[in-house]
Amino acid sequence: MAAAMDWLPWSLLLLSLACDSHAFYVPGVAPINFHQNDPVEIKAVKLTSSRTQLPYEYYSLPFCQPSKITYKAENLGEVLRGDRIVNTPFQVLMNSEKKCEVLCSQSNKPVTLTVEQSRLVAERITEDYYVHLIADNLPVATRLELYSNREGDDKKKEKDVQFEHGYRLGFTDVNKIYLHNHLSFILYYHREDLEEDQEHTYRVVRFEVIPQSIRLEDIKADEKSSCTLPEGTSSSPQEIDPTKENQLYFTYSVHWEESDIKWASRWDTYLTMSDVQIHWFSIINSVVVVFFLSGILSMIIIRTLRKDIANYNKEDDIEDTMEESGWKLVHGDVFRPPQYPMILSSLLGSGIQLFCMILIVIFVAMLGMLSPSSRGALMTTACFLFMFMGVFGGFSAGRLYRTLKGHRWKKGAFCTATLYPGVVFGICFVLNCFIWGKHSSGAVPFPTMVALLCMWFGISLPLVYLGYYFGFRKQPYDNPVRTNQIPRQIPEQRWYMNRFVGILMAGILPFGAMFIELFFIFSAIWENQFYYLFGFLFLVFIILVVSCSQISIVMVYFQLCAEDYRWWWRNFLVSGGSAFYVLVYAIFYFVNKLDIVEFIPSLLYFGYTALMVLSFWLLTGTIGFYAAYMFVRKIYAAVKID
């Protein structure tokens, strides 16, 4: 632990530099250069709402369609996220302005929405749905200018500009529903520096939209699909009456502006967060917590443990020594195999699998290789890494199972490969059935589900068996003391040694080290925000590992001093105590931050939250277990056993 604290300040310095580099692109990902009047394709991604948590594909609503609809080939992460990227009829040319253009207009006739279509559009508007478009892989954003209270304070005006991902489908006012049927696209380009004899090329660096609602009567359209918008704010918005047919125009305009932002930094605008100071506060708070824990642990090890070991190793006055402390008294039982060793080793194997996957994903994302510009890359990488990390999970589970005197290695390997993934797949399948019932694009298609099953049984399961085989054949962990044949009687324990009390005590400090980061992660998952500060997340992960290890050592020391040698399962459960606080925080977030009232969105939230809590418990429980196991072996190896 002391070694971990020595390199923690260097990690803080390194990762602070990593956090400052907002945009980093993998070599080989080349920008697209546009010439004057080259087409810039506008594609649609999906419709999302934080109220329903159910994404829908773009053409689930009666938007104007091109002559041929073409869906982009998607990776696994995009499919799981509910992205269905498709072409749109918007005609945008590089550095070419359009004042007003009518979509899907036939002979100057407006679009007529049937009663059923009108009802569906009205329902999506009342559910606060956002439309997500992309141009040159840049997501569309709506500019929000938040002015300060003081008049004439222009210096802070730029800081008050924030961007909302996507644009609102519509709005409600006095029980009336209005649709945003006119989109003013504002695209920013960066002019590349070239030699004199070469033609200028342009790169798209920002994509904004100003959505407007303009009623049919205020839009004047001609036969060439051009239109004229009303001047000023004299027009009325386009109302959607869900009880009857509605006629309207879908229109758009295009405006180009030159920008000094270079292509490599174009995502900075979208990823600008006004809470970086809160992130730093979170890091400082976490470091203080870890140093506080280190102080407690150092005091226990340096003062108490050394004194205990010195007393135990004295030749004389052994009986008085035995009465002073209790942890040596259980030396003949401390390594006694627990109940259900196969299940324990299987869960710990899955925990190792998760730990390796999360560590690699966060580290690679910190280097910028899984940035938001690579859609679905983070989730795709996580899925494949979890499959391939099965060899490490199987190896650790197999070796621990043999250490715990297990002998049915094939059954243990199958349990390791199927217990945790089976629970995850079962919950996701049930939730997916509900999403299917809602015809949401968030439902995993049947071929993708078959592909995931093939990955599970074709990649993960064989690798777990392979790792388990070599782990089981390897020499078991060398325990420093022998186990007695007859178990020692455990004295009556104090109330604070209760398992649930231990979970509450052990979980609060690791949770306190990372709860602020948890807010940003929840916002990214449930409110369609971008999460990109993986440098912060990597440091918080290291702090979480250190704090879980330290609190686990403290708890197992207290338990052994109380002469309770049944620490295997208890330590695994107690070390994952911070997962209980994550569950409490998730409930708090649901009640206070989200506006979810329907049954299926609530079921999705708590279903996926249950998976997050289970995974977090496995992760932290595994970290704490192995830290405590090494600690117990060290202290019993340091004393002379008669």
Side-chain angles (χ1 to χ4, degrees):
M1 297 303 164
M5 296 312 301
D6 288 338
W7 55 261
L8 194 58
W10 296 104
S11 300
L12 181 63
L13 177 62
L14 172 67
L15 292 170
S16 65
L17 295 175
C19 294
D20 288 336
S21 58
H22 296 298
F24 177 86
Y25 286 87
V26 186
V29 179
I32 298 177
N33 293 322
F34 295 92
H35 295 284
Q36 180 75 30
N37 293 327
D38 277 358
V40 179
E41 194 171 6
I42 306 294
K43 294 183 178 180
V45 182
K46 58 183 174 181
L47 310 169
T48 63
S49 169
S50 59
R51 288 189 61 185
T52 68
Q53 300 299 330
L54 292 168
Y56 289 94
E57 62 174 291
Y58 182 70
Y59 290 122
S60 64
L61 292 183
F63 290 120
C64 296
Q65 299 182 3
S67 56
K68 182 181 179 182
I69 297 178
T70 306
Y71 284 90
K72 171 185 170 292
E74 294 160 336
N75 57 41
L76 178 62
E78 288 176 315
V79 174
L80 296 178
R81 281 162 41 97
D83 293 357
R84 300 292 185 268
I85 300 177
V86 65
N87 60 328
T88 62
F90 296 108
Q91 301 293 326
V92 177
L93 303 178
M94 170 56 71
N95 202 16
S96 177
E97 303 271 332
K98 281 191 178 182
K99 290 187 177 181
C100 183
E101 190 89 7
V102 179
L103 283 173
C104 54
S105 174
Q106 296 179 351
S107 303
N108 198 18
K109 291 183 179 179
V111 177
T112 301
L113 302 183
T114 64
V115 177
E116 185 178 347
Q117 290 174 332
S118 301
R119 189 184 302 116
L120 182 61
V121 169
E123 182 182 340
R124 294 287 183 264
I125 293 174
T126 55
E127 291 172 340
D128 288 338
Y129 267 86
Y130 283 74
V131 182
H132 298 273
L133 306 174
I134 54 173
D136 189 27
N137 201 36
L138 272 183
V140 73
T142 306
R143 178 190 291 258
L144 300 176
E145 294 187 354
L146 307 175
Y147 297 98
S148 56
N149 293 329
R150 290 178 293 175
E151 296 181 0
D153 192 8
D154 295 331
K155 294 182 180 179
K156 292 188 177 181
K157 184 176 180 180
E158 190 66 28
K159 294 182 180 179
D160 294 333
V161 174
Q162 294 183 4
F163 290 91
E164 200 171 45
H165 305 303
Y167 70 89
R168 289 179 180 271
L169 179 62
F171 61 95
T172 57
D173 185 23
V174 197
N175 296 326
K176 290 187 177 182
I177 301 168
Y178 302 98
L179 173 69
H180 284 141
N181 60 324
H182 177 78
L183 303 178
S184 299
F185 293 133
I186 305 174
L187 292 103
Y188 294 77
Y189 65 87
H190 180 74
R191 191 193 303 264
E192 294 302 305
D193 296 327
L194 298 173
E195 298 178 4
E196 294 182 0
D197 56 341
Q198 290 183 324
E199 185 182 355
H200 278 294
T201 57
Y202 308 91
R203 294 176 180 174
V204 179
V205 294
R206 191 189 296 179
F207 182 26
E208 294 180 19
V209 66
I210 301 175
Q212 294 174 267
S213 182
I214 305 174
R215 66 178 181 178
L216 174 67
E217 292 78 10
D218 294 333
I219 298 177
K220 298 178 181 178
D222 58 25
E223 295 181 356
K224 297 180 180 180
S225 297
S226 297
C227 55
T228 305
L229 299 178
E231 296 181 0
T233 58
S234 59
S235 67
S236 300
Q238 174 64 52
E239 182 183 353
I240 300 295
D241 189 342
T243 61
K244 63 179 184 180
E245 292 185 350
N246 292 270
Q247 288 190 330
L248 70 154
Y249 282 119
F250 285 106
T251 59
Y252 71 102
S253 60
V254 181
H255 176 63
W256 288 90
E257 289 189 18
E258 189 169 3
S259 173
D260 295 330
I261 299 173
K262 293 188 177 180
W263 186 87
S265 304
R266 65 179 189 162
W267 274 84
D268 291 3
T269 303
Y270 300 87
L271 303 179
T272 299
M273 299 175 68
S274 58
D275 302 310
V276 174
Q277 291 182 346
I278 296 179
H279 262 91
W280 279 116
F281 171 76
S282 169
I283 296 297
I284 295 171
N285 169 63
S286 303
V287 170
V288 169
V289 168
V290 170
F291 275 109
F292 177 70
L293 275 172
S294 301
I296 295 176
L297 188 63
S298 301
M299 180 184 68
I300 291 174
I301 290 178
I302 295 172
R303 298 183 61 183
T304 313
L305 264 179
R306 287 185 178 177
K307 182 180 177 182
D308 289 348
I309 293 171
N311 288 337
Y312 283 141
N313 290 339
K314 284 181 180 178
E315 296 288 339
D316 54 346
D317 203 11
I318 295 179
E319 292 184 2
D320 294 338
T321 304
M322 300 286 268
E323 294 177 359
E324 286 181 9
S325 178
W327 61 268
K328 185 184 176 183
L329 297 179
V330 296
H331 69 84
D333 297 278
V334 70
F335 294 110
R336 185 179 302 280
Q339 287 184 313
Y340 314 113
M342 184 184 294
I343 297 177
L344 178 63
S345 60
S346 298
L347 292 174
L348 289 167
S350 296
I352 291 291
Q353 203 172 343
L354 271 174
F355 176 81
C356 295
M357 180 266 287
I358 292 173
L359 180 66
I360 296 173
V361 165
I362 296 178
F363 182 75
V364 172
M366 182 190 72
L367 298 179
M369 297 181 185
L370 299 177
S371 67
S373 59
S374 304
R375 297 182 180 279
L378 184 69
M379 194 170 292
T380 304
T381 305
C383 289
F384 277 97
L385 269 177
F386 182 79
M387 301 292 175
F388 287 108
M389 291 301 109
V391 66
F392 297 104
F395 181 85
S396 59
R399 192 175 183 192
L400 181 64
Y401 183 57
R402 185 175 181 186
T403 304
L404 299 179
K405 310 295 190 235
H407 57 275
R408 295 178 295 176
W409 76 269
K410 293 181 181 178
K411 188 176 179 182
F414 183 78
C415 186
T416 305
T418 57
L419 185 59
Y420 169 70
V423 171
V424 173
F425 184 83
I427 293 177
C428 289
F429 180 78
V430 172
L431 295 178
N432 202 53
C433 291
F434 285 98
I435 303 175
W436 263 334
K438 284 286 190 177
H439 305 289
S440 168
S441 64
V444 179
F446 185 74
T448 306
M449 194 171 292
V450 172
L452 287 171
L453 281 172
C454 292
M455 288 170 59
W456 178 12
F457 289 105
I459 300 176
S460 181
L461 190 137
L463 287 177
V464 169
Y465 263 88
L466 181 67
Y468 209 98
Y469 173 74
F470 285 104
F472 192 77
R473 288 189 60 185
K474 193 173 176 62
Q475 197 72 16
Y477 293 112
D478 183 24
N479 295 328
V481 293
R482 292 192 303 269
T483 302
N484 295 337
Q485 290 185 349
I486 302 174
R488 178 187 177 88
Q489 186 175 358
I490 299 173
E492 186 177 351
Q493 300 293 304
R494 299 288 184 91
W495 65 270
Y496 52 81
M497 295 304 295
N498 181 274
R499 186 173 297 174
F500 185 70
V501 175
I503 288 174
L504 294 179
M505 292 170 58
I508 187 66
L509 288 174
F511 176 75
M514 47 78 72
F515 82 97
I516 294 181
E517 201 67 27
L518 198 63
F519 167 77
F520 295 105
I521 294 173
F522 269 65
S523 298
I525 295 174
W526 302 114
E527 298 189 53
N528 297 307
Q529 302 293 324
F530 286 120
Y531 185 88
Y532 77 105
L533 294 175
F534 290 101
F536 283 111
L537 186 60
F538 186 75
L539 184 56
V540 168
F541 182 71
I542 293 174
I543 293 171
L544 179 68
V545 170
V546 174
S547 58
C548 280
S549 303
Q550 292 175 339
I551 200 68
S552 172
I553 290 172
V554 172
M555 297 301 290
V556 78
Y557 175 78
F558 287 150
Q559 183 180 351
L560 294 178
C561 285
E563 301 178 24
D564 185 358
Y565 55 81
R566 299 170 302 182
W567 64 274
W568 301 88
W569 273 107
R570 176 188 167 90
N571 186 260
F572 179 53
L573 294 171
V574 167
S575 299
S578 50
F580 171 76
Y581 290 97
V582 173
L583 176 61
V584 172
Y585 179 80
I587 296 172
F588 168 81
Y589 190 88
F590 178 83
V591 173
N592 289 276
K593 298 292 183 180
L594 298 178
D595 188 20
I596 297 177
V597 292
E598 295 182 12
F599 170 72
I600 291 182
S602 302
L603 182 69
L604 294 178
Y605 178 86
F606 285 106
Y608 289 128
T609 298
L611 287 180
M612 291 171 57
V613 170
L614 173 64
S615 303
F616 192 75
W617 169 65
L618 274 181
L619 175 69
T620 52
T622 302
I623 293 168
F625 175 86
Y626 277 101
Y629 189 31
M630 289 188 288
F631 170 76
V632 171
R633 289 170 60 200
K634 285 285 185 184
I635 63 172
Y636 281 98
V639 296
K640 297 177 182 178
I641 305 297
D642 298 329

